[in-house]
Amino acid sequence: MRTTVKLRNVIGKKVKRVDALPKVTGQAKFAADMYFNRMVYCSLVLARKPHGVLKEIEFSEALKIPDVIGIYTAKDVPGENQLGEVVKDMPCLVPVGGKIRYYGDVVAVVAAESQEAADEAAKRVKLSIEELPPIFSIEEALKDEIKIHEPTNVPIHKKIRKGDVEKGFAESEFIFEDDFHADYQEQAYLEPQGVVVLPDIDYGYTVYGTMQCPYYVQNSVAHILGIDLNKVRVIQTETGGGFGGKEDVPSYVASYAAVAAYNTGRPAKLIYSREVDIQTTSKRHPITSHYKIGVDKSGKLKSIEIKAYMDMGAYATLSPIVMFRTLVHAAGSYEIPNVKVDVYGVYTNKVPPGAFRGFGSPQVLFAVESMIDEISLKLGIDPIEFRLKNTLRVGSRTATNHLLTESVGAVQTLENVRTIADWENLKKEVEEFNKQNSFKKRGLGVSHIIYGVSLGAAGQHLDASGAHIQVNKDGTIDVRIGGTEMGQGAKTVIAMLAAEELGQKLEKINVHQPDTAFVPDSGPTVASRTTLYSGNAVRIAARELRKRFVQLFAEIFDTDPEDVSWENGRYFDSKGNELSFDELVENAYMKNVKLNETGWYETPKLEWDHETGQGEAYVTYSYASQIVLVEVDMLTGLTRVVKGFTSHDVGKALNPEGLIGQIQGGFVQGMGYALYEQIKMDRGKIVTDNFNTYIIPTIHEIPEELKIDIVEDEYSSGPYGAKGIGEPSLMPTPAAIANGISRAIGKRVKRIPATAEYILKLIKEA
Ligand code: MTE
Ligand code: MOS
């Protein structure tokens, strides 16, 4: 741990969330709160069939509804009728003669004077679909007999080839093999998808909506309308949670609404119902994996071979990028000389999964950590000791052969979690409990993870961000970034960084809603990258401004600029000279000092070989270790998480309160994935389409105790050393809980969610 800079102001201190007040008082404006004169309401006509060819669209009954303005189909799309961030395999509106590939394919957009009229008309549009045999499983799709897309159902394959796995197995003393399945998880953000698209005073369109990635939305709307990027302006409204579910999806939602806005010439509002949202939008990918691991006599991992298949649903959407993270994280946080990983993306006639907190890694981390747990059990080695023996350190090489030179807090997180859990005593307590109880059994689950920060080698062209800072003559500050606030606390961290660098008070800083008209394309707000990218961009801009203030102060008092300090609303020197920030700015304004600045942060190019999957996968990595204590009811199979202990290497805790919030939230969301959340389908239609049937954890399920430890192994390029916490907060939990259950019941949990039904079945198996 190093502390390289003197912190003067707010970094590392307890502060109030900058967006707390408007959110708790109801002042905050979400997409559904936006109203415009002459606005039309939209509703989507969905295919509601899993596979087929669209033969005819029949409107006559729908058009009889009073207040219907128009029903728009593929013919009414002025630009290219094609969506998709990575692979252009998805029509915006399926044309007559085109293929239906899942229940949620959109065929038409209805615009009406009221939401009721729009919904009723959408229901009355009749579709004739010639049905094709559908494919609902990875196994069926792999046969490639019925093709969802030409030329194959398995279009994407990513791989790692490091060392020689066969040689590694030959040199191993023990070999372990198993299969795992991790199923869907729905993001379950509170606020469903929604946008308003309006023709604007710049002769283009302005989009207001709930989203993570304004620049993706801008691209998509321009493409669908066939207009230039400078004719589309995107402003993010307050966003009630995203969790990855608002990475690419809002681009589609905005495109449907844009078709209505274009054809009516009026503002068009499209707000999803919860049911349509769950039925048609992205989730966590189901992944089926096969693992084989070789270990030598001394307990060192020698060789790992992994095959993983991910269900991409009907369209590739973000899958190729998600798969990259699956690939890199599949072998876990360990130094293994021989690694072979193959990840395949498979089309099925189901909803297309996409981004979800962890982005393709929790599924394989569950698998690899289950293997590690089973190996430590079979070899009779303490699970933390076994991980300590094999984890990454400075000087280690990752599965992709990335040499780690700094900021590797993996060992520290393992040691700290062992300490905060009082590990040896906890083990004894659990043993004692199990001796005294036969219908309830307790188990301790351990997990350990690595997380590659930001987009990495697969998305390098997007790994840069901008910022704009303007200091007003009254001393208040406008900060604009390209990253979005979706509940994770980005605005607060950004305001803290600006306050720290400029010496102004936190409450004088306004971090505005992202607006593409103010900040250049800053990439997506995903991959836990905002603190690093937007944070550094803000620091760069703020430091330029500060230089001017320091210079001015030195001129006013005729002192040495080197002697000038700034903190919490004032500038001063060692001789007792002092000015408030506001007074200094007033001076600057009177002297025509430039009071605005832009910042741009980009990371150095990563070396990466696509053929071998070798190289620098990510700019840096975060690490975490977790212990959970679970209790399984042996009569019902129901699991309760009693206690949790978690240690996270975040580089530097900029906003400690926000960090704790992320870790608590991530833990509970990971717990939902591990135990309760289950998407059920009937011929490709999701039937668990609201929160009465799709069960997420509530306050009743949270553990009695969650102890949190923060490791600060600083990253030299991070703002004050910070890396990222948004996703790593969730990632260790599913594996830890699965391992806890396995140890409690004496049977290996091989699928998540580990619902009561599944656990009871395991218990009853001979
Ligand atoms: N926390 C809240 N409250 N709401 C969210 O939608 N999204 C998560 C995580 N934490 C999310 C959240 C996901 S998927 C990501 S990638 C990060 O926040 C993004 O924010 P960051 O870049 O600021 O870490
Ligand atoms: Mo987060 S899944 O990268 O939006």
Side-chain angles (χ1 to χ4, degrees):
M1 258 183 262
R2 297 165 289 130
T3 299
T4 44
V5 263
K6 180 175 165 270
L7 297 176
R8 304 158 194 265
N9 217 345
V10 292
I11 293 296
K13 301 222 174 94
K14 193 168 167 166
V15 301
K16 223 186 274 166
R17 257 191 102 104
V18 298
D19 53 344
L21 210 58
K23 281 180 175 166
V24 296
T25 56
Q27 259 182 299
K29 283 221 186 298
F30 294 85
D33 299 321
M34 305 298 287
Y35 288 91
F36 296 91
N37 198 18
R38 282 174 39 84
M39 190 171 82
V40 303
Y41 295 82
C42 301
S43 191
L44 301 178
V45 178
L46 303 180
R48 300 189 193 275
K49 289 278 188 263
H51 201 191
V53 178
L54 180 63
K55 289 294 180 189
E56 202 189 335
I57 310 172
E58 171 59 64
F59 303 111
S60 52
E61 283 305 306
L63 288 171
K64 283 184 193 155
I65 308 265
D67 286 349
V68 168
I69 299 160
I71 302 175
Y72 309 105
T73 65
K75 290 199 294 258
D76 305 303
V77 175
E80 194 194 357
N81 181 31
Q82 198 76 95
L83 298 174
E85 276 315 321
V86 190
V87 185
K88 291 228 178 289
D89 62 356
M90 178 160 77
C92 175
L93 300 175
V94 179
V96 171
K99 241 186 136 180
I100 300 294
R101 297 187 177 90
Y102 88 109
Y103 178 91
D105 266 321
V106 181
V107 171
V109 185
V110 180
E113 300 287 354
S114 72
Q115 191 64 57
E116 295 70 26
D119 292 343
E120 185 54 35
K123 252 188 250 163
R124 293 200 192 180
V125 173
K126 282 206 183 64
L127 305 179
S128 314
I129 295 169
E130 188 181 292
E131 290 197 55
L132 294 167
I135 294 181
F136 297 130
S137 72
I138 290 172
E139 297 71 36
E140 278 297 308
L142 286 174
K143 289 183 198 157
D144 240 349
E145 283 161 7
I146 297 156
K147 295 208 172 96
I148 297 165
H149 291 269
E150 291 297 337
T152 170
N153 292 333
V154 197
I156 308 165
H157 173 205
K158 292 195 190 289
K159 55 194 180 192
I160 293 178
R161 300 287 182 265
K162 177 191 181 191
D164 178 347
V165 279
E166 289 313 325
K167 193 162 153 273
F169 288 127
E171 290 165 8
S172 295
E173 183 76 9
F174 313 97
I175 289 177
F176 301 87
E177 243 178 298
D178 224 326
D179 295 291
F180 298 91
H181 180 76
D183 214 55
Y184 291 103
Q185 185 182 19
E186 157 62 36
Q187 290 87 355
Y189 30 68
L190 270 181
E191 181 208 21
Q193 304 280 345
V195 293
V196 183
V197 179
L198 53 139
D200 64 25
I201 56 169
D202 283 331
Y203 312 102
Y205 293 84
T206 297
V207 181
Y208 288 92
T210 182
M211 64 184 73
Q212 296 178 222
C213 309
Y215 307 94
Y216 284 4
V217 172
Q218 185 186 24
N219 276 307
S220 190
V221 168
H223 187 81
I224 287 298
L225 296 185
I227 58 178
D228 296 331
L229 281 175
N230 66 3
K231 288 276 189 270
V232 182
R233 175 180 179 190
V234 180
I235 302 169
Q236 182 219 14
T237 44
E238 286 288 10
T239 292
F243 306 108
K246 290 173 185 166
E247 176 167 350
D248 62 330
V249 174
S251 304
Y252 316 144
V253 181
S255 297
Y256 307 137
V259 171
Y262 172 86
N263 284 285
T264 58
R266 294 165 63 172
K269 185 177 206 172
L270 173 59
I271 308 288
Y272 279 26
S273 67
R274 180 64 65 185
E275 287 78 8
V276 167
D277 194 311
I278 291 185
Q279 284 163 356
T280 68
T281 71
S282 79
K283 325 245 169 287
R284 197 184 292 295
H285 288 81
I287 297 184
T288 295
S289 56
H290 181 81
Y291 273 72
K292 182 176 175 186
I293 296 182
V295 187
D296 74 9
K297 258 194 223 113
S298 69
K300 281 269 203 189
L301 301 172
K302 284 295 287 185
S303 202
I304 186 165
E305 188 174 2
I306 303 159
K307 262 202 169 77
Y309 296 91
M310 59 198 286
D311 188 335
M312 303 196 295
Y315 301 102
T317 63
L318 295 168
S319 294
I321 322 176
V322 176
M323 262 169 89
F324 178 75
R325 195 170 280 283
T326 309
L327 179 83
V328 174
H329 292 71
S333 176
Y334 303 105
E335 175 145 53
I336 313 175
N338 306 293
V339 182
K340 183 178 177 198
V341 188
D342 291 277
V343 186
Y344 299 91
V346 183
Y347 283 128
T348 59
N349 291 116
K350 293 185 292 181
V351 62
F356 191 160
R357 208 174 197 174
F359 212 74
S361 73
Q363 300 97 315
V364 285
L365 288 168
F366 150 66
V368 70
E369 285 303 289
S370 296
M371 290 294 291
I372 295 294
D373 192 59
E374 187 66 19
I375 296 170
S376 70
L377 194 65
K378 291 255 169 72
L379 300 184
I381 307 174
D382 175 274
I384 294 182
E385 272 311 314
F386 187 58
R387 286 173 172 89
L388 276 170
K389 211 186 241 306
N390 287 289
T391 193
L392 299 165
R393 296 164 162 82
V394 168
S396 297
R397 288 182 174 275
T398 67
T400 73
N401 225 353
H402 188 175
L403 176 67
L404 300 175
T405 55
E406 62 158 344
S407 191
V408 190
V411 167
Q412 196 71 52
T413 65
L414 280 165
E415 284 173 352
N416 289 10
V417 81
R418 181 163 63 181
T419 306
I420 62 169
D422 193 8
W423 181 233
E424 293 307 324
N425 283 323
L426 194 62
K427 283 201 279 192
K428 282 188 205 121
E429 263 174 49
V430 168
E431 250 173 64
E432 200 47 45
F433 180 94
N434 287 340
K435 262 188 222 151
Q436 286 170 11
N437 292 275
S438 19
F439 299 132
K440 290 213 157 105
K441 292 289 175 195
R442 288 189 166 187
L444 287 170
V446 177
S447 77
H448 178 56
I449 61 122
I450 179 171
Y451 173 80
V453 177
S454 199
L455 297 162
Q460 294 202 56
H461 62 292
L462 295 169
D463 258 347
S465 289
H468 183 255
I469 302 181
Q470 175 172 315
V471 180
N472 301 304
K473 61 182 172 188
D474 63 355
T476 61
I477 299 172
D478 293 308
V479 178
R480 299 183 185 272
I481 57 168
T484 55
E485 169 70 55
M486 54 181 121
Q488 87 278 36
K491 276 191 179 181
T492 305
V493 167
I494 293 299
M496 288 172 87
L497 286 167
E500 186 71 39
E501 296 294 345
L502 285 165
Q504 177 57 305
K505 293 188 175 121
L506 193 65
E507 60 270 22
K508 295 283 183 110
I509 294 167
N510 189 358
V511 182
H512 291 271
Q513 289 303 118
D515 180 335
T516 56
F518 285 87
V519 179
D521 192 338
S522 299
T525 306
V526 299
S528 310
R529 67 192 281 274
T530 311
T531 300
L532 177 57
Y533 285 81
S534 294
N536 272 335
V538 163
R539 288 183 79 204
I540 290 166
R543 273 193 230 147
E544 272 312 305
L545 286 164
R546 188 183 69 220
K547 263 192 226 159
R548 289 175 210 152
F549 294 140
V550 167
Q551 193 57 43
L552 181 64
F553 184 96
E555 278 167 25
I556 292 170
F557 293 105
D558 193 22
T559 61
D560 178 6
E562 291 290 315
D563 186 35
V564 180
S565 295
W566 55 93
E567 71 177 21
N568 207 21
R570 64 193 192 105
Y571 277 62
F572 54 97
D573 66 12
S574 64
K575 296 192 209 98
N577 296 314
E578 182 173 331
L579 273 182
S580 73
F581 183 89
D582 301 356
E583 289 165 332
L584 188 58
V585 167
E586 207 182 317
N587 256 292
Y589 181 79
M590 295 313 288
K591 293 197 168 111
N592 300 129
V593 174
K594 185 184 174 200
L595 288 174
N596 66 82
E597 199 47 69
T598 59
W600 182 251
Y601 179 71
E602 63 192 49
T603 35
K605 189 169 165 13
L606 300 168
E607 290 302 325
W608 182 256
D609 180 341
H610 282 283
E611 265 318 296
T612 61
Q614 297 290 278
E616 301 159 323
Y618 293 96
V619 289
T620 189
Y621 304 86
S622 294
Y623 304 85
S625 300
Q626 195 160 89
I627 297 171
V628 296
L629 168 57
V630 303
E631 185 177 292
V632 183
D633 185 323
M634 301 299 279
L635 300 176
T636 64
L638 201 65
T639 302
R640 183 167 77 90
V641 178
V642 184
K643 286 179 185 176
F645 307 91
T646 192
S647 176
H648 292 264
D649 169 23
V650 299
K652 176 86 193 165
L654 302 181
N655 175 13
E657 289 288 300
L659 202 55
I660 289 168
Q662 281 295 291
I663 294 170
Q664 291 172 334
F667 185 94
V668 175
Q669 200 167 36
M671 206 173 92
Y673 187 36
L675 295 174
Y676 313 114
E677 300 183 30
Q678 207 174 13
I679 289 287
K680 290 186 181 160
M681 290 190 194
D682 175 19
R683 283 184 57 79
K685 179 194 174 184
I686 293 171
V687 292
T688 49
D689 61 4
N690 212 325
F691 297 130
N692 52 348
T693 45
Y694 186 78
I695 307 302
I696 60 172
T698 68
I699 198 159
H700 298 291
E701 283 76 41
I702 62 171
E704 284 162 20
E705 184 183 13
L706 177 61
K707 255 196 195 162
I708 295 169
D709 171 76
I710 304 294
V711 172
E712 295 184 303
D713 198 328
E714 291 172 13
Y715 166 47
S716 58
S717 300
Y720 298 103
K723 299 192 274 194
I725 186 62
E727 296 168 279
S729 56
L730 177 148
M731 290 162 50
T733 307
I737 291 175
N739 288 341
I741 301 173
S742 301
R743 297 232 174 194
I745 66 174
K747 301 257 175 65
R748 179 57 49 192
V749 171
K750 293 183 189 179
R751 58 172 300 140
I752 49 171
T755 56
E757 292 86 345
Y758 170 66
I759 296 304
L760 197 60
K761 198 175 119 240
L762 276 188
I763 293 171
K764 284 183 172 167
E765 268 170 15

